[in-house]
Amino acid sequence: MASLLVRSAVNVARREFSVCAAMSKKVQEMPDPTDHATGVEKYELLAKEAGNDDPFFLKVVARGQGTKDNPTIVNAMDTYRAVGCVCNEEDTNIKWMWLIEGQPRRCGCGYWFSLKTHPAPDKYALPL
């Protein structure tokens, strides 16, 4: 029994320990995602670098004054867009409506919305 214990201790001591992997550690950095991206993703990353955090108008817009003379402006890349209005803070549902360019629309809560169109990026001229 004692010889078995001595033999296992000697075998553990005989094992080689290599530290070359830890010693040769090079500082590597991940490549810039802008260099790797193409198409719409690259368009979005370049817009964010230029300071435009919402190039496709996807973020929530806070309601403005909302009167007929000064409606809340909703941006879009087409002549129409679906808009959801949370009329009261305690509401658990969203009231949806379609906005069409040149036709301001009133929600059931009394707020007015108007659509402002912007040119969409040409999909054939997107950065590579």
Side-chain angles (χ1 to χ4, degrees):
M1 183 71 168
S3 65
L4 181 63
L5 190 59
V6 171
R7 246 188 303 164
S8 63
V10 170
N11 285 338
V12 170
R14 256 193 262 162
R15 291 184 188 158
E16 295 180 21
F17 179 69
S18 176
V19 292
C20 62
M23 299 295 277
S24 66
K25 181 181 174 187
K26 295 180 183 175
V27 178
Q28 294 181 354
E29 294 182 7
M30 293 296 292
D32 186 25
T34 307
D35 296 336
H36 182 69
T38 61
V40 177
E41 183 183 7
K42 188 163 190 167
Y43 176 81
E44 186 175 4
L45 290 172
L46 291 173
K48 284 183 181 181
E49 286 177 6
N52 184 2
D53 288 338
D54 191 18
F56 299 112
F57 310 111
L58 298 176
K59 291 190 177 180
V60 176
V61 177
R63 286 188 303 200
Q65 199 172 13
T67 62
K68 189 171 185 176
D69 298 328
N70 190 13
T72 301
I73 303 297
V74 177
N75 296 304
M77 291 188 169
D78 209 338
T79 58
Y80 59 92
R81 183 169 186 171
V83 176
C85 180
V86 180
C87 298
N88 298 314
E89 288 183 21
E90 62 273 358
D91 280 352
T92 58
N93 60 347
I94 300 172
K95 291 159 183 84
W96 294 95
M97 62 185 148
W98 283 98
L99 282 181
I100 301 171
E101 184 181 23
Q103 300 176 6
R105 182 118 189 242
R106 182 177 180 256
C107 179
C109 61
Y111 281 91
W112 284 83
F113 296 91
S114 181
L115 190 73
K116 180 180 179 184
T117 59
H118 300 274
D122 182 16
K123 65 181 179 181
Y124 298 110
L126 290 174
L128 296 176

